[in-house]
Amino acid sequence: PRGIYSAGAEEPNALVGLRTGSRMEPNLRATQIELYEGLEACSQNRWPSLSFDLRSINQWFAGLLPAGFYYKTFMWPRSAWLWYEKHIRQAAGLGVAPTEPDPDRYEHRYAHCDLLVIGAGEKGLEAACAAARRGDRVILVDERAQVGGSLLWSQAGPNGVPAADYVAERLAELAHAPEVRVLTRTTALGVYDQGMVNLLERVNDHRSECPPFQPRQRLWQVRAQRIVLATGAIERPIVFPDNDRPGVMLAGAVRAYMGQYAVLPGRTIVVFTNNDDAWRTAFAARAAGAAVTVVDVRDRPARALIEAAGEAGIVVHCGALVGAVRGRRAVTGVRVFRRSGESVADLDCDLLATSGGWTPTVHLWSQAGGTLKWVERLSCFVPDRCPQAIECIGAAAGVFDPDDSIEPFWSVPDGLGRGKRFVDIQDDVSVEDVQLAHRENYSSVEHLKRYTTLGMGTDQGKTSNINGLALMAGLRGLPIPDVGTTTFRPPYTPVAFGALAGLETDQHAQPTRRTPLHDWHVERGATMYTVGQWVRPRVYARPGETFREAWWRESMLVRERVGIMDVSTLGKIEVSGPDAGAFLHRIYCNNVLSLPVGKVRYGLMLREDGLVADDGTFARIADDRYYLTTTTANAARVLRHMEFALQWTWPSLRASALSVTDQYAQIALAGPHARDVLAALLPGVEVGEAALPPQGLLQAELQGVRLLVFRVSFSGERAYELAVEADYAVWLWEALLEAGQPWGIDVYGTEAMGVLRIEKGHVAGAELDGRVTATDLGLARLLRKDRLFVGGAMLDRPGLNDPARPALVGLTPLDPKDAIRSGSILIPADAPMDQPRKLGWISSATPSPMLGHSIALGFVEGGMQRAGETLHAYAPLIGERVAVQVVSPHFFDPSGERMKQ
């Protein structure tokens, strides 16, 4: 059993599930949830009930479950890990994620300011008011519903002014400033480069339901010229046996509940501390009517404290330790020992308040790249230097009451009590676990964290990290700063996925792009599907026709007669300027400068690491103007790559790259009668072999509309691609259908296109997966010898020239009745099933209407050196194994005669 431990975001214990049904949210800290009418909260991770949790039996076997237990135990047998994992996760202490769609609304908002102040306590209010008087644009944020910080539970503010009056005056001043925004219920999640900060505003979490058209939460992205962190400090506990019992709390939290909420957490209280600040809790509790005993590890606390305690009727034990806690479901008493181990007293109590000092809240500072330094006088890390314009003030900077003193003390030694001494209460990491990690040489703080899970819970070790580091430092015999700290990462507290997604969910997750011919496809009954962002026609099934029959018919249409296809989704980029050719000569790995006006060339583009980025075509429309096409999936990526190169890599080049994907529609015309249809469409225009040879470009007009006609083929047939301004797409499409009637023209979709390109051996997205080189694809002939292009410098790396690299091959089944499955791995024919050796993989597969059996493209070690060899295509998830033969990837018309007819 665990109880409430803190009063804020550092809470490790009191995690609850809030709301029910589709609005249920697990793992929320009860210490931060505001009460409202209709609130529904439940405890979590207990079965069958909280009062009788069957899994609590594990505590009786704690000695058999040390740190690293899972790593060492559940690795055998390998096949059983998924079964183990299910039960381990169920016992992990966290709630269950909801399965229903979240009906709430989340928003994103963006803002700029001169000063962002995080934390609206006394120092934060002062910083915001000072900036407002200068006329700065200020954003002041605080995670609580009210500003004021510790002033909320203090009687007196600065200079003796009542705390409530001081806060009201500062808010009034900010309210009258024209450039100030105050955000309450707002948590700063993370600080990033160049002053960018993420803020989560809980707009309606304090209501049972969101008002219409209002968000539940709002994620802010703020760019701040300067940032001030007034985030205060987090109290750390002292580690002692059974320190996880309900009724053990941080001393500062006890003071907060009394001051802000008028709640006395206990009637008989023991305060266990090593510092002066915790005595303030003792005095406040005594003034509220509680019986109080202070157990201070120091031999000589300040005389003024001893005298004040005597006057208040507080019992004091100096140089003493709490070594044992009575009670299981609630604290009923503690045993006090001398530091020498001698028993001093057995005290009855219903609350044990502990304080080991305060640690500045430096998470955001560290995220911004700030470094920390250890201050021995304060026994904590404080901010040191930061490369960004960010400053810590108040307790966040390690500025505490200068009269306070502290004696470093982290854990009660062995032998004083039988219970576990938890360092990280949320993740059940004990002193013994830290000792075990040290014995097994996991003594680096990062290794300690991962081996023991110290600081890996939803609280990210806010109350445990320093104690864990100090214990490891003691075991290693090093000063604490020499051991170092772990890395603080965003978010500061957990954030709902809905807030990160905002409105970009479901159909709004990304833009839905439709070609200019979309409505035509839908009206003709095309089966539409989404490819990336684009909605494309897959097949045009006729009444009574199955899906397979439709794409089979459409494939044969192109092979035997003529068809047209909407390829408007291709990325289209215009590159122009005096240096356009020189620029593209560096972007593409093949020769661009030798391309004359009026010609098209296949282009291959590499990444900086020498692997293939994309392929497509580039056509020279004029001396200083080129028209490029890219694959549909990589259009934005290619344009971004070009813009980076022009702006950063070669800014002196006089060239520009402009996306014209949406400005042009593009239609593929393919088949043995493609030239006949083109001639009928453009009467009086010469489209013969001399005027429009393979890889030729024709600029023509039809009824005053400008057309670009490219002689390129993706199907292996005689083919053309016609580009026209998007407004004329339907007109040109229907004109082609009318012109092609004598030759039986019809439309075909992407399914048939995939069949045609695999039969021909053309590579596409499945092959261009970011792992292959030009040589792997059989395109080494395209690489210029000068290597003066992007990625060229990396091509001589041994790993990219290894003859055993997987290279492109074709594959056919030994039994024509067998179907080859895309995604299968290629293994030796005699490979055992328990540990088969992977030789490659299948990237694309299809039944072939022209060949009458299944065919596939894939990559296999050695490539075409294995021609004629028998391998097995193995799909391990379904246990399917098909014998295949390695053949040329060019299954149909390998000489290319049909394209040249």
Side-chain angles (χ1 to χ4, degrees):
R2 298 283 166 85
I4 292 174
Y5 195 71
S6 73
E10 66 272 22
E11 176 59 39
N13 285 344
L15 303 182
V16 299
L18 198 65
R19 299 179 293 274
T20 58
S22 60
R23 299 189 70 238
M24 191 273 287
E25 186 175 7
N27 305 324
L28 293 178
R29 295 160 299 285
T31 53
Q32 290 190 297
I33 298 172
E34 296 179 56
L35 294 181
Y36 55 81
E37 187 66 33
L39 181 147
E40 297 175 275
C42 64
S43 57
Q44 55 188 27
N45 199 257
R46 73 285 184 271
W47 184 85
S49 69
L50 188 63
S51 60
F52 179 71
D53 183 2
L54 191 59
R55 286 200 185 96
S56 66
I57 194 174
N58 285 336
Q59 65 187 315
W60 299 104
F61 304 100
L64 302 176
L65 305 173
F69 171 74
Y70 302 126
Y71 306 136
K72 300 171 182 176
T73 306
F74 297 115
M75 295 296 103
W76 182 90
R78 293 174 60 184
S79 59
W81 168 249
L82 294 179
W83 185 87
Y84 291 139
E85 182 183 36
K86 175 183 177 182
H87 293 278
I88 291 172
R89 288 190 179 278
Q90 288 177 350
L94 301 178
V96 178
T99 57
E100 302 176 37
D102 188 346
D104 288 329
R105 176 187 176 95
Y106 301 85
E107 289 182 353
H108 289 175
R109 186 169 290 183
Y110 305 87
H112 293 76
C113 64
D114 298 313
L115 179 67
L116 172 64
V117 181
I118 301 173
E122 177 187 338
K123 298 300 181 182
L125 287 169
E126 289 178 0
C129 289
R133 295 180 197 119
R134 294 193 302 266
D136 290 352
R137 290 179 299 169
V138 180
I139 298 178
L140 173 65
V141 304
D142 196 278
E143 64 182 358
R144 298 177 181 271
Q146 298 170 278
V147 303
S150 61
L151 293 175
L152 294 174
W153 54 84
S154 303
Q155 296 297 319
N159 303 319
V161 178
D165 293 344
Y166 176 82
V167 173
E169 290 172 6
R170 299 287 78 76
L171 282 177
E173 182 178 355
L174 294 174
H176 288 89
E179 295 280 359
V180 175
R181 176 184 280 127
V182 179
L183 297 176
T184 56
R185 299 186 176 94
T186 302
T187 301
L189 298 175
V191 176
Y192 303 88
D193 293 343
Q194 300 173 340
M196 204 278 277
V197 182
N198 276 353
L199 310 174
L200 181 69
E201 181 184 7
R202 296 178 295 278
V203 183
N204 284 297
D205 274 1
H206 58 294
R207 298 185 174 96
S208 58
E209 292 186 3
C210 295
F213 310 110
Q214 287 193 22
R216 178 188 152 212
Q217 294 179 352
R218 182 180 292 124
L219 185 70
W220 292 75
Q221 292 188 17
V222 177
R223 289 280 183 184
Q225 186 174 5
R226 292 176 295 119
I227 302 170
V228 167
L229 298 181
T231 47
I234 296 173
E235 193 170 22
R236 57 180 181 264
I238 295 175
V239 178
F240 53 87
D242 288 322
N243 59 333
D244 64 325
R245 291 290 182 254
V248 177
M249 292 180 64
L250 294 174
V254 173
R255 195 156 77 244
Y257 287 121
M258 289 190 295
Q260 186 172 3
Y261 302 109
V263 171
L264 186 60
R267 294 291 179 181
T268 307
I269 302 175
V270 173
V271 178
F272 180 30
T273 185
N274 66 343
N275 63 83
D276 289 354
D277 182 75
W279 287 70
R280 296 187 177 94
T281 298
F283 293 132
R286 182 64 185 134
V292 180
T293 301
V294 174
V295 179
D296 197 318
V297 302
R298 297 173 295 180
D299 292 325
R300 293 185 179 86
R303 180 181 296 274
L305 294 177
I306 301 293
E307 292 175 352
E311 294 174 1
I314 297 175
V315 179
V316 177
H317 295 281
C318 297
L321 309 174
V322 170
V325 177
R326 296 199 310 272
R328 182 171 180 272
R329 298 187 183 277
V331 170
T332 60
V334 298
R335 178 168 294 174
V336 180
F337 296 84
R338 294 291 181 194
R339 298 184 70 164
S340 61
E342 175 189 355
S343 178
V344 174
D346 202 350
L347 306 176
D348 292 331
C349 66
D350 56 8
L351 177 66
L352 175 56
T354 176
S355 175
W358 293 81
T359 301
T361 307
V362 294
H363 302 70
L364 301 177
W365 169 270
S366 297
Q367 292 169 17
T371 59
L372 304 173
K373 64 180 179 181
W374 179 260
V375 178
E376 195 66 38
R377 180 179 60 84
L378 302 175
S379 296
C380 64
F381 286 99
V382 301
D384 188 14
R385 293 186 298 273
C386 186
Q388 298 200 51
I390 184 169
E391 177 186 359
C392 293
I393 61 175
V399 179
F400 303 109
D401 191 322
D403 295 330
D404 284 358
S405 69
I406 182 173
E407 178 181 318
F409 188 82
W410 314 106
S411 174
V412 169
D414 296 346
L416 301 185
R418 297 182 178 180
K420 271 199 170 187
R421 296 171 293 168
F422 287 103
V423 181
D424 186 325
I425 295 180
Q426 184 171 111
D427 285 335
D428 287 359
V429 179
S430 67
V431 173
E432 291 73 22
D433 292 328
V434 176
Q435 294 170 343
L436 177 62
H438 177 257
R439 289 198 302 273
E440 299 198 354
N441 205 31
Y442 291 96
S443 53
S444 161
V445 291
E446 297 291 357
H447 292 163
L448 170 67
K449 176 178 179 178
R450 284 151 183 82
Y451 185 69
T452 65
T453 70
L454 176 71
M456 292 181 65
T458 62
D459 65 334
Q460 287 292 287
K462 289 180 174 64
T463 60
S464 62
N465 278 338
I466 296 297
N467 286 340
L469 300 177
L471 290 171
M472 180 56 73
L475 292 168
R476 294 178 62 184
L478 295 174
I480 291 175
D482 290 355
V483 175
T485 63
T486 54
T487 302
F488 294 112
R489 297 181 177 90
Y492 173 68
T493 53
V495 56
F497 283 118
L500 299 177
L503 297 176
E504 298 170 1
T505 61
D506 197 36
Q507 294 300 312
H508 299 288
Q510 59 182 357
T512 298
R513 305 182 70 178
R514 299 180 176 88
T515 73
L517 289 159
H518 176 83
D519 291 343
W520 193 98
H521 301 316
V522 173
E523 291 170 2
R524 298 314 187 275
T527 300
M528 309 297 290
Y529 77 123
T530 302
V531 184
Q533 296 179 346
W534 290 96
V535 181
R536 304 189 69 180
R538 196 171 184 184
V539 296
Y540 301 84
R542 295 173 178 175
E545 194 175 41
T546 66
F547 179 83
R548 178 188 175 92
E549 291 169 344
W551 66 255
W552 193 284
R553 170 183 53 78
E554 291 172 9
S555 301
M556 297 306 296
L557 164 76
V558 178
R559 293 288 183 224
E560 297 175 348
R561 301 196 303 274
V562 62
I564 58 173
M565 180 187 177
D566 182 4
V567 293
S568 302
T569 61
L570 290 173
K572 297 177 279 290
I573 301 172
E574 281 199 8
V575 178
S576 58
D579 296 325
F583 168 64
L584 293 177
H585 196 66
R586 302 179 189 184
I587 290 291
Y588 286 105
C589 65
N590 46 331
N591 200 320
V592 177
L593 295 178
S594 64
L595 183 71
V597 174
K599 295 289 287 184
V600 187
R601 186 167 291 168
Y602 175 80
L604 196 65
M605 193 178 299
L606 305 185
R607 301 188 318 218
E608 285 83 353
D609 60 3
L611 299 179
V612 174
D614 194 58
D615 72 340
T617 65
F618 53 89
R620 193 168 188 177
I621 298 175
D623 288 338
D624 60 351
R625 188 175 171 212
Y626 293 79
Y627 181 96
L628 283 56
T629 63
T630 73
T631 58
T632 298
N634 289 329
R637 189 176 298 115
V638 170
L639 180 64
R640 185 166 60 246
H641 171 57
M642 289 184 172
E643 289 177 335
F644 176 84
L646 286 169
Q647 296 177 34
W648 183 258
T649 311
W650 305 300
S652 61
L653 291 180
R654 297 166 297 166
S656 63
L658 176 68
S659 173
V660 292
T661 299
D662 294 320
Q663 280 66 36
Y664 286 97
Q666 198 146 316
I667 301 170
L669 172 67
H673 296 292
R675 178 185 291 167
D676 300 324
V677 176
L678 186 62
L681 177 74
L682 301 172
V685 177
E686 178 57 46
V687 296
E689 199 69 20
L692 193 55
Q695 296 187 327
L697 164 64
L698 176 67
Q699 302 187 53
E701 282 194 4
L702 176 61
Q703 300 180 23
V705 177
R706 177 173 170 267
L707 302 178
L708 293 175
V709 183
F710 309 96
R711 177 81 180 273
V712 293
S713 175
F714 194 62
S715 61
E717 300 294 330
R718 176 189 294 278
Y720 307 87
E721 290 187 8
L722 289 75
V724 66
E725 291 183 18
D727 289 345
Y728 299 99
V730 175
W731 165 79
L732 178 60
W733 181 266
E734 292 181 340
L736 280 166
L737 289 175
E738 183 177 352
Q741 285 183 3
W743 297 277
I745 194 171
D746 207 341
V747 295
Y748 65 101
T750 58
E751 198 71 18
M753 177 193 69
V755 174
L756 297 170
R757 72 97 180 167
I758 295 173
E759 287 180 338
K760 186 59 183 172
H762 284 307
V763 296
E767 286 72 45
L768 307 178
D769 64 356
R771 296 182 289 174
V772 298
T773 67
T775 303
D776 297 340
L777 297 171
L779 301 175
R781 65 186 184 280
L782 297 180
L783 300 173
R784 301 199 313 269
K785 293 182 179 180
D786 60 22
R787 297 290 197 265
L788 299 178
F789 50 83
V790 173
M794 306 299 287
L795 292 179
D796 292 329
R797 287 186 299 169
L800 298 188
N801 293 281
D802 186 350
R805 276 183 64 87
L808 185 70
V809 298
L811 298 155
T812 57
L814 293 186
D815 185 344
K817 297 179 181 179
D818 285 340
I820 305 177
R821 190 178 299 272
S822 179
S824 300
I825 61 173
L826 296 170
I827 61 176
D830 57 352
M833 283 299 90
D834 54 346
Q835 289 186 332
R837 177 172 173 261
K838 179 181 176 182
L839 298 176
W841 67 92
I842 292 175
S843 54
S844 304
T846 182
S848 170
M850 295 301 295
L851 302 178
H853 56 74
S854 236
I855 59 174
L857 298 177
F859 293 84
V860 66
E861 292 179 7
M864 287 305 297
Q865 297 176 15
R866 293 181 179 270
E869 186 175 336
T870 297
L871 304 175
H872 280 188
Y874 177 47
L877 293 181
I878 59 175
E880 183 180 84
R881 187 167 178 166
V882 176
V884 297
Q885 186 177 33
V886 178
V887 298
S888 167
H890 308 295
F891 300 98
F892 178 71
D893 188 29
S895 63
E897 291 301 318
R898 295 175 69 95
M899 291 190 297
K900 303 172 186 176
Q901 291 176 354

